[in-house]
Amino acid sequence: MRSPKELTRAEVVRAANNFRWTRKGAKWTVIVGERELPARPLVLEAAGVPPNDPTNSHQAVEILRRLGFETRYSTEQPEIRTNETEESQETGVGLDSILEIVSAATKEVPEDEWGRVPDDLSINVDHYLYGSKKTGK
C-alpha cells in the first residue's frame, strides 16, 4: 500500500473520474474538474488505502493543495444555505467583521419584535438562555 503523501495529481484526477460518494455533509471538499468531492475519502481512494487509514481530513487537504487543487471548508450544509449567502458568495461580497454579521442578521428582524427583547437581557442572559437566577444589578 502507498502512502497518501506520495500521490500525484494524475492519480487524484483518475480516482475522481470513477469516484462515487453517496453520503452528505463532508466538511472538507475538493474541486476536481467540475465536481466537488469529499477531500479525505478521495485521497484515500486515490492512494488505495482503507477508510481506517490514519490520514485525517486536514492532512488530505494539504496533500490536495500541494497538488494544486482548490479545496473548500463548509461550515453549513449546501442544501441549507440561504439565497442571501449564495448571492454574497457569487458577487464576492463577504461579511468581514462580527459587526457586519450582526448587522445583517438584525436587519431581518421585524421592528415590532425588538419590543419583546427584555431590557435586562445583557445582564441576565444566563437566566433567559438557561433558566439560572436573575441578577439584581
Side-chain angles (χ1 to χ4, degrees):
M1 274 190 252
R2 293 187 53 200
S3 167
K5 294 177 183 177
E6 300 169 0
L7 282 174
T8 65
R9 183 175 175 87
E11 290 171 322
V12 173
V13 170
R14 192 175 318 113
N17 289 335
N18 301 319
F19 190 77
R20 301 289 173 253
W21 185 255
T22 57
R23 297 183 200 170
K24 293 183 180 180
K27 292 284 186 178
W28 283 102
T29 58
V30 60
I31 307 300
V32 181
E34 295 189 13
R35 295 177 65 197
E36 186 170 5
L37 302 167
R40 181 177 180 271
L42 179 61
V43 166
L44 298 182
E45 177 77 20
V49 296
N52 64 348
D53 184 83
T55 303
N56 65 36
S57 295
H58 298 282
Q59 292 168 327
V61 167
E62 285 308 311
I63 291 167
L64 293 165
R65 286 183 182 161
R66 178 180 48 83
L67 296 173
F69 291 100
E70 177 187 349
T71 57
R72 296 179 181 170
Y73 181 76
S74 175
T75 56
E76 53 186 51
Q77 302 306 319
E79 59 271 6
I80 305 176
R81 286 188 180 161
T82 65
N83 290 340
E84 292 172 351
T85 304
E86 291 171 0
E87 287 172 8
S88 68
Q89 288 176 349
E90 289 172 4
T91 60
V93 177
L95 301 176
D96 296 328
S97 71
I98 189 69
L99 293 176
E100 290 175 357
I101 293 169
V102 171
S103 176
T106 57
K107 286 179 184 175
E108 297 176 10
V109 179
E111 195 62 41
D112 59 324
E113 289 296 315
W114 287 112
R116 297 179 55 196
V117 176
D119 294 335
D120 62 344
L121 179 63
S122 64
I123 298 170
N124 290 305
V125 68
D126 287 340
H127 168 74
Y128 293 107
L129 291 178
Y130 312 116
S132 61
K133 290 185 177 181
K134 281 189 172 186
T135 60
K137 296 180 181 178

